[in-house]
Amino acid sequence: MAHSNTFLFLLFLQIPLSCIGIRDGPPTKVPAVIVFGDSSVDAGNNNHITTILKSNFEPYGRDFWDARPTGRFSNGRIAPDFISEAFGIKPAVPAYLDPTYSIKDFVDGVCFASAGTGYDNATSNVLNVIPLWQELVHFKEYQTKLRSYVGDQEATYILTEALYLISVGTNDFLENYYTVPGRRSQFTINGYQDFLVGIAESFVKAIYDLGGRKISLGGIPPMGCLPLERTMNFMHGSDCREDYNVVARDFNGKLQALVARLNQELLGIRLVYSDIYDTLLELVQMPYLIRECSGRMLRDRDVRDGLLV
């Protein structure tokens, strides 16, 4: 699914500001944005692996600044890019596997995400993409390169103060559980949710053990309202599949409970649950909000640009 720039900017707004140090005063310095997940945050890593799941062709990228497909599953930039720019870092977070970049480009942000992946290793096998554990291996490689490039002290500062974004989970249900019979024969839907939450917990703890402290764990959208699911639901007027949405809400509730518990257990962590479900459902039900928000963003940009002239 190609996401609109406006929608992805709205997703950025769902990250609780307490995660990154914004309360009543100015934000704490965030030296880097480090990204894990699936197509919602993949900056182009799938371009450099053997898979059919790529977005390196038009119309993807038509609204990117040089109007080219970058491997992002979007008409332009994606949420981590907006987040990075909002913190005054850079306007786009590069893909780790892109050979046109090197460690000097990754000092202040890097993306390890792979479209089509999930918490479950079996999900990444469906379309031969990078499993989540391999994203973690790449992160460890990055740490070694970073320490060699900037030194231990600076690298420790960057890794501790960076904002870590995790956006994954939808493919585990839509590409795996409801499509491939293997997991359905092993788990009830409730049991499979618990299985995925256990993997999410291990993944957050792995990032924590590697130095991460400011972590955003994203929920999944109302997946019954995604375009493909609505198209396939033509026997019911192409409405949203409420049974899929119920699963998404239940899974998100379990992620929220996980976040609350880990904040109690892990000393110094600032882990937040980032809700995209309600925002996307609201836009599906009231699409005019997209136009209104786009207009406000354009007006705000015109005012800002006028002040900078």
Side-chain angles (χ1 to χ4, degrees):
M1 177 179 67
H3 307 280
S4 74
N5 286 341
T6 302
F7 167 62
L8 288 170
F9 188 79
L10 288 171
L11 295 194
F12 153 60
L13 296 178
Q14 301 309 305
I15 296 178
L17 299 181
S18 60
C19 170
I20 45 185
I22 301 176
R23 288 186 175 85
D24 296 325
T28 301
K29 173 65 176 175
V30 172
V33 174
I34 299 176
V35 186
F36 303 92
D38 56 22
S39 63
S40 59
V41 290
D42 183 358
N45 285 306
N46 275 22
N47 285 356
H48 309 287
I49 62 174
T50 304
T51 179
I52 62 171
L53 189 57
K54 300 177 188 286
S55 57
N56 56 349
F57 53 89
E58 296 178 349
Y60 292 111
R62 66 186 181 188
D63 297 315
F64 209 74
W65 47 71
D66 52 0
R68 64 180 175 88
T70 63
R72 291 167 171 82
F73 284 73
S74 170
N75 57 296
R77 291 187 292 166
I78 53 179
D81 300 325
F82 289 112
I83 293 169
S84 175
E85 184 177 45
F87 281 101
I89 303 175
K90 55 188 174 186
V93 179
Y96 182 68
L97 296 183
D98 189 333
T100 63
Y101 298 108
S102 66
I103 187 59
K104 68 180 179 63
D105 303 296
F106 300 145
V107 170
D108 52 2
V110 60
C111 174
F112 302 105
S114 176
T117 201
Y119 287 113
D120 187 354
N121 288 339
T123 302
S124 61
N125 292 338
V126 174
L127 291 169
N128 193 38
V129 298
I130 303 168
L132 200 59
W133 66 264
Q134 185 66 47
E135 293 186 25
L136 197 62
V137 169
H138 290 161
F139 177 50
K140 292 176 182 178
E141 294 175 352
Y142 162 74
Q143 288 195 331
T144 299
K145 295 175 183 177
L146 184 66
R147 293 188 185 282
S148 177
Y149 185 69
V150 301
D152 282 340
Q153 183 175 353
E154 180 66 14
T156 298
Y157 165 74
I158 292 170
L159 295 169
T160 302
E161 297 299 326
L163 176 61
Y164 293 80
L165 305 177
I166 306 170
S167 178
V168 66
T170 305
N171 297 319
D172 290 305
F173 297 101
L174 298 184
E175 288 185 11
N176 187 356
Y177 189 85
Y178 289 120
T179 304
V180 182
R183 291 307 192 196
R184 289 202 310 277
S185 68
Q186 295 177 279
F187 297 100
T188 64
I189 187 61
N190 186 62
Y192 190 57
Q193 290 174 350
D194 292 340
F195 172 68
L196 297 179
V197 170
I199 298 172
E201 177 175 354
S202 297
F203 190 74
V204 169
K205 286 181 175 179
I207 294 176
Y208 177 85
D209 289 341
L210 290 168
R213 293 297 181 268
K214 301 174 183 177
I215 305 171
S216 166
L217 181 63
I220 63 175
M223 55 191 181
C225 294
L226 296 179
L228 179 59
E229 307 314 315
R230 294 185 67 175
T231 300
M232 294 178 66
N233 197 30
F234 61 90
M235 294 294 290
H236 297 87
S238 295
D239 290 335
C240 296
R241 286 199 55 165
E242 183 57 23
D243 55 336
Y244 283 6
N245 286 351
V246 169
V247 170
R249 289 197 299 271
D250 290 346
F251 180 64
N252 287 342
K254 293 179 179 183
L255 288 180
Q256 288 174 281
L258 172 66
V259 166
R261 178 165 58 82
L262 292 182
N263 274 317
Q264 296 297 317
E265 294 178 2
L266 302 179
L267 182 65
I269 196 170
R270 301 172 75 176
L271 176 64
V272 297
Y273 168 77
S274 296
D275 173 44
I276 66 170
Y277 184 98
D278 291 334
T279 299
L280 180 53
L281 187 61
E282 189 175 61
L283 294 178
V284 169
Q285 295 171 339
M286 297 178 286
Y288 61 85
L289 291 176
I290 298 178
R291 295 190 296 272
E292 290 180 0
C293 182
S294 296
R296 286 197 301 270
M297 290 170 65
L298 288 171
R299 289 194 299 272
D300 291 346
R301 186 191 64 187
D302 291 343
V303 170
R304 181 196 65 205
D305 291 347
L307 291 173
L308 292 176
V309 171

